[in-house]
């Protein structure tokens, strides 16, 4: 079936696409959605919209307004004045972003996460006898997090919602995070995040540094920050601020240096090797 590609990225269905049936609970909303899809190039006026719903459903406009509202739960339908005669028209612009279906975590993957990562909330430790556990994306999908084992963890309902609210409050920073996440090493991910925040004239919240560090095994983002400062020579200043009893920690990047050609990991390893050599030499001297 041919599809129209929108700049929003998600292609719109053809008016006849049977998948539209599954979006809405009612046959009437489905018909309304098809009507708006059909008339995208020639957006209907209020009068045409009402005439259509009257003809299709034989009902008053209370319902046609409700249909419109339901269509808007999945699609952006703009009401605007038409140039020329100034009539109000309803133009279906594309998929609504929030409605982009969150990718389903298969029962098999859920079972794997529970069995290997533990059947308890990874924030408060509560088990299934105390709370309702959900599988959560560690890095939200909207920031490029994938639906795969490494990026999933069990959380209780309460912490899952709390975390979502926290991330929603940081949504302006999504692009900065999406920029930092694909980098190879934790130093680069943290460093690139700090650079992106510096470009926005902001200090970086420690929670985001921990998030992009993504070291599930022997993670120590604070150590990586120290290495950025003392091994790679970046000027990073921590800030602590108490607000409503909670200490907010942010890191302000004052200046960065180019990444070493051998890579951050190799530079840090070399620094560690020299430090150990020096220590060994000192021990020898002391003997
Ligand atoms: Zn919890």
């Amino acid at each position: 079936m041919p599809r129209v590609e929108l700049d929003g990225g998600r292609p719109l269905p053809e008016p006849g696409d049977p998948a539209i049936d599954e979006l809405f609970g009612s046959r009437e909303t489905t018909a309304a959605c098809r009507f708006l899809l059909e008339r995208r190039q020639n957006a209907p006026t209020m009068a045409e919209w009402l005439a259509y719903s009257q003809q299709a459903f034989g009902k008053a406009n209370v319902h046609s307004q409700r249909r419109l509202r339901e269509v808007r739960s999945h699609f952006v339908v703009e009401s605007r004045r038409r140039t020329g005669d100034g009539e109000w028209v309803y133009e279906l612009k594309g998929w609504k972003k929030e409605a982009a279906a969150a990718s389903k975590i298969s029962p098999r993957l859920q079972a794997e996460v529970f069995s290997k990562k533990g059947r308890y909330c990874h924030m408060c430790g509560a088990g299934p006898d105390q709370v309702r556990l959900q599988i959560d994306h560690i890095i939200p999908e909207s920031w490029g997090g994938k639906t795969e084992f490494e990026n999933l963890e069990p959380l209780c309902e309460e912490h899952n919602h709390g975390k979502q609210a926290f991330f929603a409050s940081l949504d302006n920073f999504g692009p900065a995070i999406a920029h930092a996440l694909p980098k190879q090493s934790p130093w680069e991910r943290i460093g690139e995040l700090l650079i992106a925040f510096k470009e926005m004239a902001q200090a970086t919240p420690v929670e985001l540094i921990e998030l992009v560090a993504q070291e599930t095994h022997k993670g120590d983002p604070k150590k990586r920050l120290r290495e950025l400062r003392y091994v790679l020579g970046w000027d990073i200043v921590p800030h602590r601020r108490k607000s409503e009893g909670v200490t907010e920690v942010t890191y302000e990047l004052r200046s960065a240096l180019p990444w070493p050609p051998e890579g951050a990991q190799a530079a840090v390893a070399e620094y560690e090797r020299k430090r150990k050599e020096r220590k060994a030499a000192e021990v020898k001297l002391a003997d």
Side-chain angles (χ1 to χ4, degrees):
M1 187 181 297
R3 280 166 184 276
V4 189
E5 187 76 29
L6 266 192
D7 39 9
R10 192 172 170 197
L12 277 170
E14 290 293 313
D17 193 328
I20 296 170
D21 291 330
E22 281 158 37
L23 290 176
F24 305 105
S26 91
R27 197 179 52 84
E28 297 175 9
T29 308
T30 305
C33 180
R34 296 210 155 103
F35 176 65
L36 288 170
L37 280 165
E38 256 160 37
R39 293 284 304 265
R40 279 188 65 231
Q41 305 308 324
N42 169 27
T45 62
M46 170 81 90
E48 286 173 309
W49 163 250
L50 293 180
Y52 170 79
S53 56
Q54 191 80 35
Q55 170 220 322
F57 316 119
K59 283 181 189 161
N61 69 28
V62 193
H63 292 286
S64 63
Q65 285 301 326
R66 197 170 114 202
R67 299 301 153 235
L68 187 59
R69 219 166 37 236
E70 284 169 4
V71 172
R72 279 181 165 147
S73 68
H74 286 285
F75 297 93
V76 176
V77 181
E78 195 181 272
S79 42
R80 60 168 173 84
R81 281 193 186 278
R82 185 160 64 189
T83 40
D85 59 9
E87 284 275 0
W88 283 99
V89 292
Y90 294 89
E91 187 181 352
L92 193 153
K93 307 288 280 188
W95 284 99
K96 190 176 152 190
K97 208 171 176 191
E98 300 82 64
S103 30
K104 291 240 168 65
I105 306 169
S106 71
R108 192 179 159 171
L109 188 52
Q110 293 200 27
E112 190 192 355
V113 172
F114 276 132
S115 79
K116 292 190 183 152
K117 296 192 176 178
R119 201 172 279 273
Y120 61 90
C121 171
H122 280 215
M123 284 174 88
C124 67
D129 45 340
Q130 300 152 284
V131 293
R132 214 177 109 85
L133 291 172
Q134 302 170 329
I135 301 281
D136 177 56
H137 287 81
I138 297 170
I139 296 178
E141 289 185 279
S142 54
W143 294 353
K146 296 204 176 81
T147 301
E148 57 190 23
F149 179 77
E150 289 72 22
N151 192 41
L152 298 171
E153 68 181 6
L155 286 185
C156 72
E157 224 165 2
E158 189 188 330
H159 280 117
N160 196 4
H161 292 158
K163 193 182 138 183
Q164 278 166 12
F166 173 69
F167 282 147
S169 73
L170 295 169
D171 220 29
N172 293 341
F173 306 132
I177 295 154
H179 164 76
L181 275 175
K183 305 293 177 218
Q184 285 291 315
S185 69
W187 300 274
E188 289 165 301
R189 289 194 291 276
I190 295 171
E192 292 295 331
L193 185 74
L194 290 166
I195 290 173
F197 269 75
K198 184 178 195 291
E199 282 165 3
M200 297 187 283
Q202 302 253 12
T204 313
V206 68
E207 292 86 352
L208 291 186
I209 291 175
E210 285 164 359
L211 184 85
V212 302
Q214 273 279 287
E215 292 177 287
T216 35
H217 313 293
K218 41 180 182 176
D220 191 352
K222 299 234 166 71
K223 182 159 187 282
R224 303 291 167 246
L225 274 166
R226 281 199 300 277
E227 287 158 351
L228 277 173
R229 293 166 80 178
Y230 303 118
V231 180
L232 301 177
W234 290 29
D235 187 0
I236 301 166
V237 183
H239 296 284
R240 280 179 187 80
R241 195 171 67 101
K242 259 215 148 83
S243 129
E244 291 165 26
V246 182
T247 308
E248 289 176 9
V249 181
T250 57
Y251 288 85
E252 178 199 352
L253 174 66
R254 298 239 168 115
S255 68
L257 289 173
W259 294 110
E262 72 274 28
Q265 183 154 19
V268 170
E270 176 64 11
Y271 174 89
E272 285 294 324
R273 197 185 58 77
K274 283 197 178 137
R275 196 177 61 88
K276 277 184 189 142
E277 246 177 38
R278 236 181 4 249
K279 246 193 168 162
E282 277 165 19
V283 171
K284 248 187 195 152
L285 276 177
D287 286 348

